[in-house]
Amino acid sequence: MSSTEMTLHWAVEKWLTPTHATRAHVVRVRRNGMHRRCVCVEAMLSGGLLSIFFFRHDDGSWNVYPPAQARPAMLAWRSV
């Protein structure tokens, strides 16, 4: 599946399967300094309130796991 098909709407429908009787609501939007977004979506299900956090990745897709952080790396140049 391409990242363009992994919209926030697609992810919410996959994980919460909202219907007309049970609707999902965005309750919190968070953005950190590196322009990464995190959204909390809640839905009232038969078992109670369910909250899931969705994270936007650099490719534009939304997932339930946070994107990997860039780690420092060393590069050694070899001289001839």
Side-chain angles (χ1 to χ4, degrees):
M1 179 172 286
S2 71
S3 63
T4 57
E5 295 172 348
M6 295 178 67
T7 62
L8 181 58
H9 185 268
W10 176 87
V12 168
E13 285 203 0
K14 176 186 174 192
W15 288 93
L16 296 174
T17 59
T19 63
H20 292 293
T22 61
R23 296 183 179 241
H25 300 280
V26 174
V27 294
R28 187 179 312 153
V29 177
R30 189 175 237 181
R31 180 185 285 201
N32 69 7
M34 304 220 26
H35 303 290
R36 296 196 190 267
R37 288 189 194 163
C38 174
V39 174
C40 180
V41 177
E42 289 184 347
M44 183 61 77
L45 303 178
S46 59
L49 184 66
L50 177 65
S51 300
I52 297 181
F53 283 89
F54 294 94
F55 300 90
R56 185 168 180 146
H57 288 240
D58 292 335
D59 64 356
S61 65
W62 289 86
N63 296 287
V64 294
Y65 55 89
Q69 293 183 354
R71 296 186 178 154
M74 290 178 50
L75 181 63
W77 292 94
R78 193 172 172 180
S79 344
V80 178

PDB file of all heavy atoms in Angstrom, residues 4-31:
ATOM      1  N   THR A   4       0.308   7.355   0.021  1.00  0.00           N
ATOM      2  CA  THR A   4      -0.811   8.238  -0.295  1.00  0.00           C
ATOM      3  C   THR A   4      -2.140   7.597   0.069  1.00  0.00           C
ATOM      4  O   THR A   4      -3.122   8.278   0.277  1.00  0.00           O
ATOM      5  CB  THR A   4      -0.808   8.614  -1.790  1.00  0.00           C
ATOM      6  OG1 THR A   4      -0.858   7.408  -2.555  1.00  0.00           O
ATOM      7  CG2 THR A   4       0.407   9.421  -2.149  1.00  0.00           C
ATOM      8  N   GLU A   5      -2.189   6.269   0.166  1.00  0.00           N
ATOM      9  CA  GLU A   5      -3.403   5.583   0.569  1.00  0.00           C
ATOM     10  C   GLU A   5      -3.509   5.470   2.084  1.00  0.00           C
ATOM     11  O   GLU A   5      -4.538   5.063   2.594  1.00  0.00           O
ATOM     12  CB  GLU A   5      -3.445   4.193  -0.052  1.00  0.00           C
ATOM     13  CG  GLU A   5      -3.539   4.211  -1.553  1.00  0.00           C
ATOM     14  CD  GLU A   5      -3.396   2.831  -2.150  1.00  0.00           C
ATOM     15  OE1 GLU A   5      -3.003   1.895  -1.432  1.00  0.00           O
ATOM     16  OE2 GLU A   5      -3.667   2.692  -3.345  1.00  0.00           O
ATOM     17  N   MET A   6      -2.464   5.813   2.815  1.00  0.00           N
ATOM     18  CA  MET A   6      -2.463   5.697   4.278  1.00  0.00           C
ATOM     19  C   MET A   6      -2.727   7.063   4.909  1.00  0.00           C
ATOM     20  O   MET A   6      -1.921   7.589   5.654  1.00  0.00           O
ATOM     21  CB  MET A   6      -1.151   5.093   4.754  1.00  0.00           C
ATOM     22  CG  MET A   6      -0.970   3.662   4.290  1.00  0.00           C
ATOM     23  SD  MET A   6       0.586   2.939   4.771  1.00  0.00           S
ATOM     24  CE  MET A   6       0.408   2.847   6.532  1.00  0.00           C
ATOM     25  N   THR A   7      -3.906   7.616   4.608  1.00  0.00           N
ATOM     26  CA  THR A   7      -4.295   8.895   5.169  1.00  0.00           C
ATOM     27  C   THR A   7      -4.762   8.701   6.606  1.00  0.00           C
ATOM     28  O   THR A   7      -4.981   7.570   7.061  1.00  0.00           O
ATOM     29  CB  THR A   7      -5.431   9.514   4.342  1.00  0.00           C
ATOM     30  OG1 THR A   7      -6.566   8.640   4.415  1.00  0.00           O
ATOM     31  CG2 THR A   7      -5.016   9.719   2.887  1.00  0.00           C
ATOM     32  N   LEU A   8      -4.960   9.803   7.309  1.00  0.00           N
ATOM     33  CA  LEU A   8      -5.474   9.722   8.675  1.00  0.00           C
ATOM     34  C   LEU A   8      -6.870   9.095   8.665  1.00  0.00           C
ATOM     35  O   LEU A   8      -7.195   8.269   9.519  1.00  0.00           O
ATOM     36  CB  LEU A   8      -5.501  11.109   9.319  1.00  0.00           C
ATOM     37  CG  LEU A   8      -5.996  11.160  10.757  1.00  0.00           C
ATOM     38  CD1 LEU A   8      -5.171  10.277  11.667  1.00  0.00           C
ATOM     39  CD2 LEU A   8      -6.003  12.597  11.259  1.00  0.00           C
ATOM     40  N   HIS A   9      -7.681   9.441   7.715  1.00  0.00           N
ATOM     41  CA  HIS A   9      -9.023   8.869   7.594  1.00  0.00           C
ATOM     42  C   HIS A   9      -8.948   7.349   7.432  1.00  0.00           C
ATOM     43  O   HIS A   9      -9.686   6.598   8.077  1.00  0.00           O
ATOM     44  CB  HIS A   9      -9.746   9.508   6.406  1.00  0.00           C
ATOM     45  CG  HIS A   9     -11.157   9.082   6.274  1.00  0.00           C
ATOM     46  ND1 HIS A   9     -11.546   8.016   5.505  1.00  0.00           N
ATOM     47  CD2 HIS A   9     -12.284   9.581   6.832  1.00  0.00           C
ATOM     48  CE1 HIS A   9     -12.847   7.872   5.579  1.00  0.00           C
ATOM     49  NE2 HIS A   9     -13.324   8.818   6.383  1.00  0.00           N
ATOM     50  N   TRP A  10      -8.042   6.882   6.589  1.00  0.00           N
ATOM     51  CA  TRP A  10      -7.866   5.445   6.367  1.00  0.00           C
ATOM     52  C   TRP A  10      -7.426   4.750   7.656  1.00  0.00           C
ATOM     53  O   TRP A  10      -7.940   3.696   8.017  1.00  0.00           O
ATOM     54  CB  TRP A  10      -6.830   5.222   5.265  1.00  0.00           C
ATOM     55  CG  TRP A  10      -6.520   3.782   5.041  1.00  0.00           C
ATOM     56  CD1 TRP A  10      -7.179   2.908   4.227  1.00  0.00           C
ATOM     57  CD2 TRP A  10      -5.462   3.032   5.649  1.00  0.00           C
ATOM     58  NE1 TRP A  10      -6.606   1.667   4.296  1.00  0.00           N
ATOM     59  CE2 TRP A  10      -5.543   1.719   5.164  1.00  0.00           C
ATOM     60  CE3 TRP A  10      -4.455   3.350   6.551  1.00  0.00           C
ATOM     61  CZ2 TRP A  10      -4.661   0.717   5.559  1.00  0.00           C
ATOM     62  CZ3 TRP A  10      -3.592   2.356   6.953  1.00  0.00           C
ATOM     63  CH2 TRP A  10      -3.695   1.052   6.450  1.00  0.00           C
ATOM     64  N   ALA A  11      -6.472   5.359   8.368  1.00  0.00           N
ATOM     65  CA  ALA A  11      -5.956   4.754   9.605  1.00  0.00           C
ATOM     66  C   ALA A  11      -7.036   4.690  10.684  1.00  0.00           C
ATOM     67  O   ALA A  11      -7.158   3.689  11.390  1.00  0.00           O
ATOM     68  CB  ALA A  11      -4.745   5.539  10.106  1.00  0.00           C
ATOM     69  N   VAL A  12      -7.846   5.748  10.805  1.00  0.00           N
ATOM     70  CA  VAL A  12      -8.919   5.750  11.804  1.00  0.00           C
ATOM     71  C   VAL A  12      -9.938   4.672  11.468  1.00  0.00           C
ATOM     72  O   VAL A  12     -10.383   3.927  12.341  1.00  0.00           O
ATOM     73  CB  VAL A  12      -9.590   7.143  11.876  1.00  0.00           C
ATOM     74  CG1 VAL A  12     -10.879   7.095  12.685  1.00  0.00           C
ATOM     75  CG2 VAL A  12      -8.630   8.151  12.480  1.00  0.00           C
ATOM     76  N   GLU A  13     -10.298   4.549  10.208  1.00  0.00           N
ATOM     77  CA  GLU A  13     -11.266   3.512   9.829  1.00  0.00           C
ATOM     78  C   GLU A  13     -10.701   2.112  10.055  1.00  0.00           C
ATOM     79  O   GLU A  13     -11.424   1.203  10.440  1.00  0.00           O
ATOM     80  CB  GLU A  13     -11.688   3.691   8.382  1.00  0.00           C
ATOM     81  CG  GLU A  13     -12.630   4.855   8.220  1.00  0.00           C
ATOM     82  CD  GLU A  13     -13.485   4.745   6.995  1.00  0.00           C
ATOM     83  OE1 GLU A  13     -13.357   3.755   6.250  1.00  0.00           O
ATOM     84  OE2 GLU A  13     -14.292   5.658   6.794  1.00  0.00           O
ATOM     85  N   LYS A  14      -9.410   1.943   9.823  1.00  0.00           N
ATOM     86  CA  LYS A  14      -8.795   0.631  10.024  1.00  0.00           C
ATOM     87  C   LYS A  14      -8.810   0.226  11.499  1.00  0.00           C
ATOM     88  O   LYS A  14      -9.147  -0.900  11.843  1.00  0.00           O
ATOM     89  CB  LYS A  14      -7.361   0.638   9.506  1.00  0.00           C
ATOM     90  CG  LYS A  14      -6.623  -0.656   9.770  1.00  0.00           C
ATOM     91  CD  LYS A  14      -5.181  -0.570   9.370  1.00  0.00           C
ATOM     92  CE  LYS A  14      -4.467  -1.847   9.799  1.00  0.00           C
ATOM     93  NZ  LYS A  14      -3.052  -1.743   9.716  1.00  0.00           N
ATOM     94  N   TRP A  15      -8.437   1.146  12.383  1.00  0.00           N
ATOM     95  CA  TRP A  15      -8.270   0.801  13.791  1.00  0.00           C
ATOM     96  C   TRP A  15      -9.545   0.938  14.621  1.00  0.00           C
ATOM     97  O   TRP A  15      -9.735   0.216  15.595  1.00  0.00           O
ATOM     98  CB  TRP A  15      -7.166   1.651  14.410  1.00  0.00           C
ATOM     99  CG  TRP A  15      -5.830   1.233  13.921  1.00  0.00           C
ATOM    100  CD1 TRP A  15      -5.140   1.753  12.852  1.00  0.00           C
ATOM    101  CD2 TRP A  15      -5.013   0.188  14.433  1.00  0.00           C
ATOM    102  NE1 TRP A  15      -3.954   1.098  12.688  1.00  0.00           N
ATOM    103  CE2 TRP A  15      -3.840   0.130  13.650  1.00  0.00           C
ATOM    104  CE3 TRP A  15      -5.152  -0.697  15.494  1.00  0.00           C
ATOM    105  CZ2 TRP A  15      -2.836  -0.779  13.889  1.00  0.00           C
ATOM    106  CZ3 TRP A  15      -4.139  -1.607  15.735  1.00  0.00           C
ATOM    107  CH2 TRP A  15      -2.998  -1.636  14.932  1.00  0.00           C
ATOM    108  N   LEU A  16     -10.414   1.887  14.270  1.00  0.00           N
ATOM    109  CA  LEU A  16     -11.589   2.141  15.103  1.00  0.00           C
ATOM    110  C   LEU A  16     -12.897   1.698  14.455  1.00  0.00           C
ATOM    111  O   LEU A  16     -13.907   1.612  15.150  1.00  0.00           O
ATOM    112  CB  LEU A  16     -11.685   3.634  15.448  1.00  0.00           C
ATOM    113  CG  LEU A  16     -10.541   4.177  16.295  1.00  0.00           C
ATOM    114  CD1 LEU A  16     -10.665   5.680  16.445  1.00  0.00           C
ATOM    115  CD2 LEU A  16     -10.528   3.512  17.646  1.00  0.00           C
ATOM    116  N   THR A  17     -12.909   1.465  13.178  1.00  0.00           N
ATOM    117  CA  THR A  17     -14.106   1.100  12.407  1.00  0.00           C
ATOM    118  C   THR A  17     -15.341   1.880  12.859  1.00  0.00           C
ATOM    119  O   THR A  17     -16.324   1.298  13.323  1.00  0.00           O
ATOM    120  CB  THR A  17     -14.393  -0.413  12.470  1.00  0.00           C
ATOM    121  OG1 THR A  17     -14.569  -0.802  13.823  1.00  0.00           O
ATOM    122  CG2 THR A  17     -13.314  -1.216  11.826  1.00  0.00           C
ATOM    123  N   PRO A  18     -15.295   3.216  12.731  1.00  0.00           N
ATOM    124  CA  PRO A  18     -16.445   4.011  13.162  1.00  0.00           C
ATOM    125  C   PRO A  18     -17.649   3.782  12.244  1.00  0.00           C
ATOM    126  O   PRO A  18     -17.498   3.496  11.063  1.00  0.00           O
ATOM    127  CB  PRO A  18     -15.936   5.448  13.062  1.00  0.00           C
ATOM    128  CG  PRO A  18     -14.843   5.407  12.072  1.00  0.00           C
ATOM    129  CD  PRO A  18     -14.230   4.029  12.179  1.00  0.00           C
ATOM    130  N   THR A  19     -18.835   3.895  12.800  1.00  0.00           N
ATOM    131  CA  THR A  19     -20.080   3.790  12.047  1.00  0.00           C
ATOM    132  C   THR A  19     -20.901   5.040  12.337  1.00  0.00           C
ATOM    133  O   THR A  19     -20.461   5.925  13.082  1.00  0.00           O
ATOM    134  CB  THR A  19     -20.871   2.537  12.471  1.00  0.00           C
ATOM    135  OG1 THR A  19     -21.226   2.678  13.841  1.00  0.00           O
ATOM    136  CG2 THR A  19     -20.052   1.275  12.268  1.00  0.00           C
ATOM    137  N   HIS A  20     -22.103   5.075  11.796  1.00  0.00           N
ATOM    138  CA  HIS A  20     -22.963   6.227  12.087  1.00  0.00           C
ATOM    139  C   HIS A  20     -23.366   6.237  13.555  1.00  0.00           C
ATOM    140  O   HIS A  20     -23.600   7.289  14.136  1.00  0.00           O
ATOM    141  CB  HIS A  20     -24.198   6.194  11.194  1.00  0.00           C
ATOM    142  CG  HIS A  20     -23.873   6.441   9.761  1.00  0.00           C
ATOM    143  ND1 HIS A  20     -23.405   7.644   9.305  1.00  0.00           N
ATOM    144  CD2 HIS A  20     -23.921   5.626   8.683  1.00  0.00           C
ATOM    145  CE1 HIS A  20     -23.184   7.576   8.018  1.00  0.00           C
ATOM    146  NE2 HIS A  20     -23.479   6.345   7.601  1.00  0.00           N
ATOM    147  N   ALA A  21     -23.467   5.058  14.170  1.00  0.00           N
ATOM    148  CA  ALA A  21     -23.839   4.974  15.581  1.00  0.00           C
ATOM    149  C   ALA A  21     -22.665   5.326  16.491  1.00  0.00           C
ATOM    150  O   ALA A  21     -22.845   5.929  17.544  1.00  0.00           O
ATOM    151  CB  ALA A  21     -24.338   3.573  15.900  1.00  0.00           C
ATOM    152  N   THR A  22     -21.447   4.938  16.118  1.00  0.00           N
ATOM    153  CA  THR A  22     -20.254   5.259  16.905  1.00  0.00           C
ATOM    154  C   THR A  22     -19.334   6.108  16.043  1.00  0.00           C
ATOM    155  O   THR A  22     -18.820   5.650  15.035  1.00  0.00           O
ATOM    156  CB  THR A  22     -19.505   3.990  17.335  1.00  0.00           C
ATOM    157  OG1 THR A  22     -19.089   3.293  16.172  1.00  0.00           O
ATOM    158  CG2 THR A  22     -20.351   3.100  18.184  1.00  0.00           C
ATOM    159  N   ARG A  23     -19.125   7.307  16.441  1.00  0.00           N
ATOM    160  CA  ARG A  23     -18.279   8.222  15.674  1.00  0.00           C
ATOM    161  C   ARG A  23     -16.948   8.433  16.373  1.00  0.00           C
ATOM    162  O   ARG A  23     -16.874   8.397  17.587  1.00  0.00           O
ATOM    163  CB  ARG A  23     -18.977   9.562  15.489  1.00  0.00           C
ATOM    164  CG  ARG A  23     -20.226   9.423  14.663  1.00  0.00           C
ATOM    165  CD  ARG A  23     -20.861  10.751  14.433  1.00  0.00           C
ATOM    166  NE  ARG A  23     -22.039  10.569  13.622  1.00  0.00           N
ATOM    167  CZ  ARG A  23     -22.192  11.110  12.434  1.00  0.00           C
ATOM    168  NH1 ARG A  23     -21.268  11.887  11.942  1.00  0.00           N
ATOM    169  NH2 ARG A  23     -23.284  10.896  11.740  1.00  0.00           N
ATOM    170  N   ALA A  24     -15.945   8.653  15.567  1.00  0.00           N
ATOM    171  CA  ALA A  24     -14.610   8.946  16.093  1.00  0.00           C
ATOM    172  C   ALA A  24     -14.405  10.456  16.076  1.00  0.00           C
ATOM    173  O   ALA A  24     -14.844  11.145  15.149  1.00  0.00           O
ATOM    174  CB  ALA A  24     -13.552   8.253  15.248  1.00  0.00           C
ATOM    175  N   HIS A  25     -13.734  10.968  17.105  1.00  0.00           N
ATOM    176  CA  HIS A  25     -13.488  12.405  17.230  1.00  0.00           C
ATOM    177  C   HIS A  25     -12.014  12.656  17.497  1.00  0.00           C
ATOM    178  O   HIS A  25     -11.415  11.976  18.326  1.00  0.00           O
ATOM    179  CB  HIS A  25     -14.303  13.002  18.385  1.00  0.00           C
ATOM    180  CG  HIS A  25     -15.771  12.829  18.230  1.00  0.00           C
ATOM    181  ND1 HIS A  25     -16.534  13.645  17.428  1.00  0.00           N
ATOM    182  CD2 HIS A  25     -16.614  11.919  18.771  1.00  0.00           C
ATOM    183  CE1 HIS A  25     -17.785  13.244  17.480  1.00  0.00           C
ATOM    184  NE2 HIS A  25     -17.856  12.190  18.297  1.00  0.00           N
ATOM    185  N   VAL A  26     -11.461  13.644  16.829  1.00  0.00           N
ATOM    186  CA  VAL A  26     -10.095  14.086  17.117  1.00  0.00           C
ATOM    187  C   VAL A  26     -10.172  14.932  18.377  1.00  0.00           C
ATOM    188  O   VAL A  26     -10.909  15.920  18.434  1.00  0.00           O
ATOM    189  CB  VAL A  26      -9.509  14.906  15.950  1.00  0.00           C
ATOM    190  CG1 VAL A  26      -8.152  15.480  16.324  1.00  0.00           C
ATOM    191  CG2 VAL A  26      -9.401  14.046  14.705  1.00  0.00           C
ATOM    192  N   VAL A  27      -9.445  14.524  19.403  1.00  0.00           N
ATOM    193  CA  VAL A  27      -9.498  15.247  20.674  1.00  0.00           C
ATOM    194  C   VAL A  27      -8.216  16.017  20.973  1.00  0.00           C
ATOM    195  O   VAL A  27      -8.220  16.909  21.804  1.00  0.00           O
ATOM    196  CB  VAL A  27      -9.810  14.296  21.858  1.00  0.00           C
ATOM    197  CG1 VAL A  27     -11.212  13.744  21.715  1.00  0.00           C
ATOM    198  CG2 VAL A  27      -8.814  13.188  21.957  1.00  0.00           C
ATOM    199  N   ARG A  28      -7.144  15.687  20.295  1.00  0.00           N
ATOM    200  CA  ARG A  28      -5.884  16.379  20.567  1.00  0.00           C
ATOM    201  C   ARG A  28      -4.999  16.325  19.328  1.00  0.00           C
ATOM    202  O   ARG A  28      -4.848  15.287  18.703  1.00  0.00           O
ATOM    203  CB  ARG A  28      -5.162  15.710  21.724  1.00  0.00           C
ATOM    204  CG  ARG A  28      -3.925  16.457  22.175  1.00  0.00           C
ATOM    205  CD  ARG A  28      -3.248  15.769  23.340  1.00  0.00           C
ATOM    206  NE  ARG A  28      -4.210  15.419  24.375  1.00  0.00           N
ATOM    207  CZ  ARG A  28      -4.045  14.419  25.212  1.00  0.00           C
ATOM    208  NH1 ARG A  28      -2.979  13.671  25.160  1.00  0.00           N
ATOM    209  NH2 ARG A  28      -4.951  14.146  26.134  1.00  0.00           N
ATOM    210  N   VAL A  29      -4.415  17.472  18.986  1.00  0.00           N
ATOM    211  CA  VAL A  29      -3.444  17.552  17.900  1.00  0.00           C
ATOM    212  C   VAL A  29      -2.180  18.128  18.497  1.00  0.00           C
ATOM    213  O   VAL A  29      -2.214  19.137  19.197  1.00  0.00           O
ATOM    214  CB  VAL A  29      -3.945  18.459  16.749  1.00  0.00           C
ATOM    215  CG1 VAL A  29      -2.889  18.586  15.670  1.00  0.00           C
ATOM    216  CG2 VAL A  29      -5.237  17.928  16.171  1.00  0.00           C
ATOM    217  N   ARG A  30      -1.071  17.490  18.231  1.00  0.00           N
ATOM    218  CA  ARG A  30       0.197  17.939  18.797  1.00  0.00           C
ATOM    219  C   ARG A  30       1.240  18.002  17.691  1.00  0.00           C
ATOM    220  O   ARG A  30       1.305  17.132  16.839  1.00  0.00           O
ATOM    221  CB  ARG A  30       0.624  16.953  19.866  1.00  0.00           C
ATOM    222  CG  ARG A  30       1.792  17.397  20.667  1.00  0.00           C
ATOM    223  CD  ARG A  30       2.015  16.407  21.748  1.00  0.00           C
ATOM    224  NE  ARG A  30       1.958  17.129  22.998  1.00  0.00           N
ATOM    225  CZ  ARG A  30       2.132  16.592  24.165  1.00  0.00           C
ATOM    226  NH1 ARG A  30       2.304  15.312  24.283  1.00  0.00           N
ATOM    227  NH2 ARG A  30       2.106  17.316  25.240  1.00  0.00           N
ATOM    228  N   ARG A  31       2.048  19.027  17.737  1.00  0.00           N
ATOM    229  CA  ARG A  31       3.142  19.183  16.785  1.00  0.00           C
ATOM    230  C   ARG A  31       4.380  19.591  17.552  1.00  0.00           C
ATOM    231  O   ARG A  31       4.331  20.495  18.364  1.00  0.00           O
ATOM    232  CB  ARG A  31       2.786  20.254  15.771  1.00  0.00           C
ATOM    233  CG  ARG A  31       3.866  20.481  14.753  1.00  0.00           C
ATOM    234  CD  ARG A  31       3.513  21.616  13.853  1.00  0.00           C
ATOM    235  NE  ARG A  31       2.503  21.169  12.918  1.00  0.00           N
ATOM    236  CZ  ARG A  31       2.265  21.750  11.775  1.00  0.00           C
ATOM    237  NH1 ARG A  31       2.934  22.823  11.439  1.00  0.00           N
ATOM    238  NH2 ARG A  31       1.359  21.297  10.969  1.00  0.00           N
TER     239      ARG A  31
END
